[in-house]
Amino acid sequence: MSVDERREQLIAVALELFSARPPEDVSIDDIAAAAGASRPLVYHYFPGKQAIYEESLRRAGQELAGRFEEPAVGPLSERLARVMARYLDFVAEHGPGFAALLRGGSVAASPGTTAVIDEVRRAAHDQILSHLALPDPSPALRLTVRAWIANAEISSLAWLADRQQPPREQVQLRLVQDFVAALVVTAAREPELAAVLPEYLADERPDTPTGTLVHSLAGLLAVPGLAEALGALVTGVEPV
């Protein structure tokens, strides 16, 4: 192998190990053995485990950030569903190592690893806002997107802890519908967002995540007394 090829091989092998186990459970000897290389050879390319961990994480972070890229075509909730499918695929592939990092409990966490995660969050934030196509997103809308990204991280960690139950499709759908609900709530406070909300909804269909969410919410009106209680909140008139 050339110098560059050997270095890339070591990074690929290390990433595979760090994806399968928490970083503190992976040693330089493990990396060397998996790569069919000697311990001194690994040290020739990297000064220590932390260096190869951070480089592996950087590569994985670039891949994860790329999974948020989605053409601005079709209903908004379907676009987001495709993004979430790729995100959860990534979570499943790299579970133990990234779970340790995101929980902040890894001894391998450092300013370098934190910067990688922050970069992924920024990429996700910017991609989601790009689909909303607002020229000047408000601070409240940016906060909504950031809060939803945090929700996706927390949900994916819980999903891993529960051995990927419920099925991935259910987690994917819930996360997309959580975003749609948060967007509507934000629109109630943000006139600029409220003005474009009809455009987003006009592209949706009954079978999209947004359509099924609206159907479920409408079904709540059949709960005895709920429609009357909601009406009283709107009009200020107590139900008879």
Side-chain angles (χ1 to χ4, degrees), residues 78-124:
E78 285 193 340
R79 298 181 221 166
L80 195 56
R82 289 190 289 270
V83 169
M84 284 295 96
R86 294 193 295 268
Y87 174 83
L88 290 171
D89 282 345
F90 185 91
V91 169
E93 293 162 9
H94 301 85
F98 282 87
L101 180 67
L102 287 177
R103 288 193 180 102
S106 171
V107 297
S110 69
T113 59
T114 300
V116 171
I117 297 301
D118 286 344
E119 185 59 35
V120 171
R121 288 169 178 157
R122 280 193 295 272

Side-chain angles (χ1 to χ4, degrees), residues 40-58:
L41 182 62
V42 177
Y43 278 114
H44 175 74
Y45 287 92
F46 297 96
K49 188 180 81 170
Q50 185 68 27
I52 194 169
Y53 175 61
E54 291 187 10
E55 184 57 35
S56 301
L57 184 64
R58 210 167 359 256

Side-chain angles (χ1 to χ4, degrees), residues 8-166:
E8 290 300 315
Q9 183 218 18
L10 291 173
I11 292 170
V13 166
L15 179 56
E16 185 174 346
L17 291 173
F18 289 131
S19 297
R21 286 141 53 187
E24 51 266 35
D25 293 345
V26 178
S27 68
I28 288 289
D29 288 334
D30 293 331
I31 296 170
S38 66
R39 179 186 176 95
L41 182 62
V42 177
Y43 278 114
H44 175 74
Y45 287 92
F46 297 96
K49 188 180 81 170
Q50 185 68 27
I52 194 169
Y53 175 61
E54 291 187 10
E55 184 57 35
S56 301
L57 184 64
R58 210 167 359 256
R59 299 296 179 86
Q62 291 170 355
E63 179 188 343
L64 179 55
R67 296 195 183 198
F68 282 92
E69 296 178 2
E70 175 69 26
V73 177
L76 177 63
S77 67
E78 285 193 340
R79 298 181 221 166
L80 195 56
R82 289 190 289 270
V83 169
M84 284 295 96
R86 294 193 295 268
Y87 174 83
L88 290 171
D89 282 345
F90 185 91
V91 169
E93 293 162 9
H94 301 85
F98 282 87
L101 180 67
L102 287 177
R103 288 193 180 102
S106 171
V107 297
S110 69
T113 59
T114 300
V116 171
I117 297 301
D118 286 344
E119 185 59 35
V120 171
R121 288 169 178 157
R122 280 193 295 272
H125 170 269
D126 293 346
Q127 282 292 322
I128 299 303
L129 284 178
S130 73
H131 285 278
L132 299 179
L134 291 173
D136 187 23
S138 70
L141 179 56
R142 291 182 179 277
L143 180 59
T144 294
V145 174
R146 291 190 183 100
W148 177 77
I149 292 169
N151 176 31
E153 290 181 0
I154 293 169
S155 297
S156 62
L157 288 175
W159 181 60
L160 285 175
D162 291 337
R163 303 190 180 194
Q164 299 185 27
Q165 290 297 324

